[in-house]
Amino acid sequence: MKFNDLVSVAPETQLPELVARLRDLATALEDFVRFGPAAIETDVTISDWVAAKRAVPVLVGKMNGHPNIKDGKVGATTELFYVDQSAGLARTFNRWYKLDPALSLSGNLQ
């Protein structure tokens, strides 16, 4: 099984769209901070709602140089947004990661 069979993250061709969507999210949150809830305009209502969790793609592996995980310890990233295996880079919600291709299991998962 290949890595892309397991997760759906933005390929290079969709990166500009991902950037625009994340920028829109940041702008909406900044506007909320600046102008308050009265400035929010929406026609969408949710009734009988509950907060829930859903699975999102993450990377799991041995970390080196992570601010909160000791070198050599296994850790999981925050939500994975972008992977460029040929460049050896991945972007999660919190940070960029260098991908060590020599130690990757992504091409050989069963």
Side-chain angles (χ1 to χ4, degrees), residues 53-72:
K53 292 184 179 183
R54 63 180 181 159
V56 296
V58 299
L59 293 175
V60 176
K62 290 182 183 176
M63 301 289 179
N64 284 297
H66 193 280
N68 302 317
I69 301 170
K70 291 182 180 180
D71 287 351

Side-chain angles (χ1 to χ4, degrees), residues 50-94:
V50 297
K53 292 184 179 183
R54 63 180 181 159
V56 296
V58 299
L59 293 175
V60 176
K62 290 182 183 176
M63 301 289 179
N64 284 297
H66 193 280
N68 302 317
I69 301 170
K70 291 182 180 180
D71 287 351
K73 296 290 183 183
V74 174
T77 67
T78 53
E79 184 174 356
L80 184 61
F81 283 94
Y82 177 73
V83 175
D84 186 334
Q85 287 182 288
S86 62
L89 292 170
R91 177 62 201 203
T92 68
F93 186 78
N94 287 344

Side-chain angles (χ1 to χ4, degrees), residues 8 11 13 20 23 33 37 40 45 54 56 69 75 83 89 106 108-109:
S8 176
T13 55
R23 187 169 287 128
V33 168
I40 303 299
T45 301
R54 63 180 181 159
V56 296
I69 301 170
V83 175
L89 292 170
S106 63
N108 301 317
L109 293 178

